[in-house]
Amino acid sequence: MAVRAEAGQKAVTARYGMWFFLYTEFILFGMLFLLYSVFRYRFPADFHAGAMEENILTGSVNTAVLLTSSLTMALAISAVKKGNNRLSAGLQLLTMALGIGFLCIKAYEWYVKIVKGLYPGSPVLLKMHPGEIIYFGLYYTMTGLHGLHLFAGVAVTAYMFYFTIKGRISADNCARLENTGLYWHFVDMVWMFLFPLFYLIT
Amino acid sequence: MGEGGEGEGIGKDKSYLENAGGRSGIAAWMLSTDHKRIGVMYLAALMSFFGVGVVLGLVLRLNMLHPGAIMNAQQYNETFSLHGVIMLFLVIIPGIPAAFGNFFLPIMLGARDVAFPRLNRLTWWIYLTGAAIVLASIFLNNVNPPDTGWTFYVPYSIRSQTNVSLAALGVFVLGFTSILTGLNFVTTIHTMRARGMTWFRLPLFAWTLYATGWVQMLATPVLAITLLLVVLGRNFGIGLFNPARGGDPIMYEHSFWTYSHPAVYIMVLPAMGIISEVIPVFARKAIFGYKFIVFAALAIAGVGYAVWGHHMFVSGMSDNARVVFSFLTFLVAVPTGVKVFNWVATLYKGSIRMDVPLYWAVTFIFLFSIGGLSGLIMGALAPNIDVHGTYFIAAHIHYVVFGSVGPAIFAGLHYWFPKMFGKMYNQRRAKLGWLIFFIGFNVLYFPMFILGLKGMPRRWFDYPPRFHTGQVIATVGSWILAAGLIIIFGNLIGALFKGEKAPADPWGGRTLEWQTSSPPPAENFSGALPVMEEAGYGAEEA
Amino acid sequence: MSERKENEIPIVSYRTFFYIWIALLVLLAITVAVAVMNAAHALGLNLLIAFLMAWLDLFFFMNLRHERLFLKIIILLPIFAYISIIVLTYSDAFYRMAG
């Protein structure tokens, strides 16, 4: 019992759980990517036409924002392990800010499209080619689901921030923060594929 | 189910039924992180929903006696949809892992609890939430219950004016129960085994839960996203599956069956695990070919992941895909055959003790063989086209799901009941219940094979007169079956209150759960955790 | 307590993470440039770069390179499962959905 319940063992158990959870997330998003590929194979021209609506500049900036948030999250974990809770808390705050920044830019992109009447089921959209209807359906579903995951990531990081400043996360006891990091980097990874598939195919 | 047994005397520790962790009343159960209490709560919930499903099934059969007398066609559609959704998503898919897995996996591994006890409790709450949403779809919004069947096929599920969104959402939520239970079990098996409990000393039930856990994790998200897209399609006009908007309904079927075929193995693998536990105990012999059974379980999980297309032979998918899926389907029969062979070989020349659990285990092998072999008929392309969408399919699914997993659950229930509640039931009454169930089951479902071959379409509310005899026989069978169920459950529930005290090991079982008292103490083992010093269960090859 | 050491991920230096971040930003610039210039095989290059970025994310940010051997190997299972879903779905879609 004493050997098994050790902190190290607990940390590794927690990490197993988080990796397994991420596998399920991978399959979840994976199915959407599969649907994307099948429909793109069906409607190559319509997908190109649809992607013309994407703003490559905001998309690229947003990608950079998310990559930077991954950096600050990784640094926050190293900082805690080095015993520097204050630095870690600051970096976590920065991570959350970048995550929210990403969501704001994303919301702006949605807003621009919605003002143009490009949203699922809209009269403008329903007059377009079937492939374009599918393209925008996928766009809203996939970026929306990704955004929800990122939002959950921000919320969980807020908890971790609270634990860190209260000292409940420390160099010896940081499995929770490490797992939050794993999740955050995974959500980031999903975007690494969403970005080229929606923004770079014009 | 708060009825407490007394600790049997191996240790002084109070049993888990008496040790409420300082809570009282409902909270002692609902807030408990004890895997045994959670397992018992799942069992109670599953059996209650099973009761609801059975009543719906009886009503369906009753309609076929004289279509239109008790319900109209729309109500018939709603009833069979609810019957399917409840039986599959609320009862049989969470089924064995949630109830018996939770209760026995940690004990069999020699652990105090699962790897994530609080996650386990959350999972139970999620299950209740999902169940509540599904049940709410019966009456909420002043709309009718879903009428799409449990498969929610598009495009009808997008057009239907019934409560499809709510039911789909409920199933979506229930999916998390599956995912998190699988995740918890796989992590538990990896990290919580007692010292000396090496992989090939694991009880076979634990092995099947391991294989099932992976299927739960890797298949259930597919269902989640598919149902989410149906809900988005209904409420936000995202038409990925809607042909009117460029979508493709066949992609829905692919996604749905990518989950729902592996789901069959989520149900059946743990059932096979129970059978692999019961048979060697009552044959008084080590299981024949332990490693073969282990690898067969993993192979079934693996290949079972890749055969979903055989549900779609008449959907209009490409011919190449049909050939590929037909071939892969036949492959599944190989590891399944290996298992059946091993069970029978274990019984061969054993000193068989005919107790109730073995009755059920043998029933499993028999009915599963009928179900499995009829599956081969449909796995072949040409006969499939003939029997697809007929009662033949309905008979097949009931033989495999109800006729196999059902007896496995009853085998587990009768095998582990003394351990779970510390009470012994009346064996004679249990055997009577078994006999009536067995007769009723076959009278109910076997005629459906014949009706199907003669061309009776499934899901039909009414039928031409030539099918009348078969329909009447099946309906009578449903009454016999229900009588059997009443005897079985009456006996068990009676035993909860009036049963004799059960010894720690009434059957001579050799896995770890039999080495602790009945019912087990809150910490599973009084004193130190067991250490497996020698290759115990299953290691000696016959 | 050697068990404990094996269970813990070592502290990764700030500098390593900075290098990875810079590498990711460079890859981002390349992938955008490829698309904007409409280079030959742009889609293939974009996806290749995306996989490269994901690899960096997985092995450095997510520390897979310091993980136990089991977690390094078992990650192939969901990937294999996903690939088989793709292949089997395309055994239908490829013949039915050609644009």
Side-chain angles (χ1 to χ4, degrees):
Chain A
M1 179 75 186
V3 180
R4 296 242 149 215
E6 237 186 284
Q9 181 63 33
K10 272 196 173 155
V12 85
T13 304
R15 279 210 310 279
Y16 273 51
M18 183 42 94
W19 276 104
F20 295 158
F21 176 70
L22 293 183
Y23 299 166
T24 72
E25 293 277 26
F26 162 67
I27 299 285
L28 184 87
F29 279 102
M31 281 313 284
L32 282 173
F33 280 108
L34 175 58
L35 284 169
Y36 172 97
S37 90
V38 167
F39 284 117
R40 183 166 168 184
Y41 175 62
R42 177 89 183 80
F43 305 110
D46 288 349
F47 269 55
H48 279 264
M52 296 298 257
E53 291 295 331
E54 308 296 348
N55 184 334
I56 208 168
L57 179 67
T58 54
S60 308
V61 170
N62 231 359
T63 311
V65 167
L66 208 53
L67 291 177
T68 312
S69 79
S70 256
L71 169 70
T72 54
M73 181 53 101
L75 292 177
I77 295 166
S78 281
V80 154
K81 285 188 172 173
K82 289 182 179 181
N84 196 340
N85 268 36
R86 274 179 67 91
L87 177 63
S88 177
L91 285 163
Q92 288 172 41
L93 212 55
L94 195 57
T95 308
M96 283 186 269
L98 288 164
I100 292 169
F102 175 93
L103 289 174
C104 291
I105 297 177
K106 188 87 251 157
Y108 165 76
E109 288 180 350
W110 276 33
Y111 171 76
V112 170
K113 285 196 190 59
I114 290 169
V115 167
K116 282 190 191 166
L118 291 171
Y119 54 88
S122 76
V124 179
L125 194 60
L126 290 184
K127 280 194 208 105
M128 297 167 89
H129 290 273
E132 285 176 282
I133 303 177
I134 293 293
Y135 174 87
F136 285 106
L138 280 166
Y139 170 80
Y140 280 105
T141 310
M142 293 174 87
T143 59
L145 195 65
H146 175 262
L148 268 179
H149 276 81
L150 194 62
F151 182 77
V154 172
V156 174
T157 311
Y159 260 112
M160 295 304 135
F161 174 74
Y162 174 75
F163 288 149
T164 310
I165 53 175
K166 288 280 172 190
R168 286 208 262 167
I169 285 178
S170 60
D172 299 326
N173 180 17
C174 61
R176 280 177 292 190
L177 184 63
E178 276 184 306
N179 273 351
T180 311
L182 281 178
Y183 176 81
W184 190 277
H185 298 310
F186 171 81
V187 175
D188 202 8
M189 195 190 302
V190 172
W191 182 258
M192 288 174 188
F193 289 91
L194 285 177
F195 173 64
L197 290 177
F198 281 107
Y199 290 79
L200 300 182
I201 60 167
T202 43
Chain B
M1 291 223 174
E3 183 71 5
E6 280 160 271
E8 207 269 329
I10 288 184
K12 328 186 264 297
D13 297 22
K14 280 202 268 181
S15 86
Y16 80 99
L17 290 168
E18 293 164 319
N19 183 339
R23 301 186 186 91
S24 62
I26 288 216
W29 289 88
M30 286 302 294
L31 298 181
S32 174
T33 54
D34 184 342
H35 64 99
K36 297 180 288 302
R37 283 183 173 243
I38 292 174
V40 169
M41 285 190 287
Y42 271 119
L43 187 63
L46 293 169
M47 290 308 149
S48 314
F49 291 130
F50 177 68
V52 176
V54 168
V55 170
L56 290 172
L58 286 171
V59 172
L60 288 172
R61 284 315 317 162
L62 210 55
N63 171 71
M64 297 321 263
L65 213 50
H66 182 38
I70 54 165
M71 56 169 75
N72 61 33
Q74 174 66 23
Q75 285 162 337
Y76 182 77
N77 290 349
E78 293 161 7
T79 311
F80 75 63
S81 302
L82 283 172
H83 172 75
V85 170
I86 289 176
M87 283 301 209
L88 285 159
F89 294 114
L90 290 181
V91 179
I92 212 93
I93 289 178
I96 298 172
F100 296 126
N102 261 316
F103 198 105
F104 287 106
L105 178 67
I107 307 182
M108 282 180 150
L109 299 178
R112 304 263 181 221
D113 208 323
V114 292
F116 308 111
R118 285 195 297 173
L119 181 70
N120 204 19
R121 179 178 61 182
L122 178 70
T123 308
W124 160 243
W125 293 342
I126 293 174
Y127 172 78
L128 284 185
T129 312
I133 298 175
V134 167
L135 294 180
S137 76
I138 298 175
F139 52 83
L140 221 66
N141 298 341
N142 288 325
V143 213
N144 288 341
D147 60 350
T148 57
W150 70 279
T151 52
F152 299 113
Y153 267 12
V154 291
Y156 184 61
S157 61
I158 293 179
R159 276 210 325 262
S160 169
Q161 292 302 309
T162 55
N163 253 336
V164 175
S165 298
L166 212 54
L169 196 69
V171 174
F172 174 84
V173 172
L174 286 168
F176 285 99
T177 312
S178 241
I179 290 176
L180 295 175
T181 303
L183 187 154
N184 218 336
F185 287 180
V186 171
T187 314
T188 305
I189 294 171
H190 270 289
T191 61
M192 308 278 286
R193 280 170 287 136
R195 267 194 288 165
M197 179 66 87
T198 55
W199 281 95
F200 286 114
R201 290 180 189 172
L202 277 184
L204 285 162
F205 183 55
W207 262 115
T208 52
L209 286 176
Y210 183 75
T212 308
W214 277 111
V215 180
Q216 285 173 312
M217 284 194 279
L218 297 180
T220 316
V222 182
L223 177 76
I225 194 66
T226 310
L227 292 180
L228 202 60
L229 284 169
V230 169
V231 173
L232 290 176
R234 285 177 63 86
N235 298 299
F236 298 97
I238 290 177
L240 297 188
F241 301 133
N242 185 352
R245 299 196 170 167
D248 182 32
I250 294 180
M251 282 311 294
Y252 172 85
E253 292 193 30
H254 275 303
S255 311
F256 181 80
W257 290 112
T258 301
Y259 165 74
S260 294
H261 192 76
V264 175
Y265 299 101
I266 295 178
M267 311 167 202
V268 170
L269 274 172
M272 293 171 159
I274 292 181
I275 303 310
S276 308
E277 292 296 326
V278 168
I279 284 185
V281 169
F282 293 89
R284 291 283 180 271
K285 234 174 107 194
I287 187 96
F288 179 82
Y290 171 89
K291 284 192 182 172
F292 275 97
I293 297 188
V294 169
F295 288 122
L298 298 176
I300 290 172
V303 183
Y305 206 78
V307 299
W308 76 79
H310 64 223
H311 295 264
M312 301 167 58
F313 285 156
V314 297
S315 69
M317 77 174 169
S318 81
D319 288 345
N320 305 56
R322 300 203 295 170
V323 173
V324 169
F325 279 119
S326 179
F327 172 71
L328 289 169
T329 300
F330 285 119
L331 278 187
V332 187
V334 177
T336 313
V338 168
K339 278 180 173 265
V340 172
F341 175 73
N342 279 298
W343 293 323
V344 176
T346 307
L347 286 169
Y348 180 66
K349 286 191 173 171
S351 327
I352 292 175
R353 227 179 101 169
M354 283 309 281
D355 285 327
V356 185
L358 189 64
Y359 277 64
W360 285 111
V362 175
T363 307
F364 169 92
I365 300 178
F366 179 69
L367 296 180
F368 183 71
S369 299
I370 296 180
L373 291 172
S374 66
L376 287 180
I377 296 174
M378 285 171 300
L381 278 174
N384 179 285
I385 290 167
D386 199 37
V387 296
H388 203 105
T390 68
Y391 265 39
F392 195 85
I393 300 267
H396 166 74
I397 188 181
H398 283 95
Y399 264 90
V400 173
V401 174
F402 185 20
S404 315
V405 185
I409 290 178
F410 291 135
L413 206 54
H414 288 93
Y415 179 55
W416 281 318
F417 186 88
K419 179 56 65 183
M420 293 176 89
F421 303 106
K423 297 289 174 77
M424 209 56 198
Y425 50 85
N426 181 323
Q427 285 240 24
R428 284 192 51 179
R429 229 170 293 154
K431 285 177 187 172
L432 179 70
W434 164 82
L435 182 67
I436 295 177
F437 176 96
F438 184 75
I439 295 169
F441 183 89
N442 287 297
V443 174
L444 166 52
Y445 293 113
F446 204 83
M448 289 197 183
F449 278 126
I450 298 160
L451 284 170
L453 287 175
K454 284 184 175 169
M456 171 76 212
R458 69 195 283 214
R459 300 201 185 95
W460 276 30
F461 163 74
D462 204 347
Y463 51 85
R466 64 196 161 101
F467 297 123
H468 189 63
T469 315
Q471 295 281 9
V472 171
I473 295 174
T475 305
V476 171
S478 74
W479 301 335
I480 303 175
L481 178 67
L485 288 173
I486 289 171
I487 296 174
I488 292 165
F489 282 108
N491 184 31
L492 289 178
I493 292 170
L496 272 185
F497 298 100
K498 293 187 299 201
E500 285 172 41
K501 212 162 83 176
D505 188 0
W507 315 117
R510 297 169 58 197
T511 36
L512 285 177
E513 79 268 29
W514 302 111
Q515 297 177 19
T516 185
S517 48
S518 299
E523 297 245 285
N524 291 350
F525 301 93
S526 34
L529 285 176
V531 177
M532 299 287 284
E533 269 160 2
E534 50 171 354
Y537 168 86
E540 311 104 297
E541 303 277 315
Chain C
M1 295 284 112
S2 63
E3 190 185 20
R4 178 162 177 175
K5 248 186 188 160
E6 165 200 335
N7 287 335
E8 275 197 357
I9 290 176
I11 305 172
V12 183
S13 70
Y14 297 143
R15 186 190 300 203
T16 311
F17 284 141
F18 264 111
Y19 287 151
I20 298 302
W21 176 61
I22 287 166
L24 285 169
L25 288 183
V26 169
L27 285 171
L28 170 64
I30 296 174
T31 200
V32 172
V34 166
V36 171
M37 292 186 309
N38 222 344
H41 309 297
L43 174 67
L45 280 171
N46 288 150
L47 280 180
L48 190 73
I49 292 171
F51 278 111
L52 217 66
M53 290 167 86
W55 187 82
L56 288 175
D57 193 42
L58 199 59
F59 276 79
F60 290 89
F61 281 162
M62 295 173 87
N63 271 313
L64 193 60
R65 74 199 161 117
H66 291 308
E67 268 298 353
R68 300 179 137 200
L69 185 63
F70 168 73
L71 283 177
K72 278 183 191 162
I73 294 173
I74 201 70
I75 197 169
L76 295 173
L77 187 65
I79 292 172
F80 180 74
Y82 182 50
I83 290 174
S84 47
I85 294 180
I86 294 176
V87 169
L88 288 167
T89 305
Y90 265 92
S91 76
D92 169 39
F94 183 76
Y95 298 99
R96 199 169 50 81
M97 302 276 281

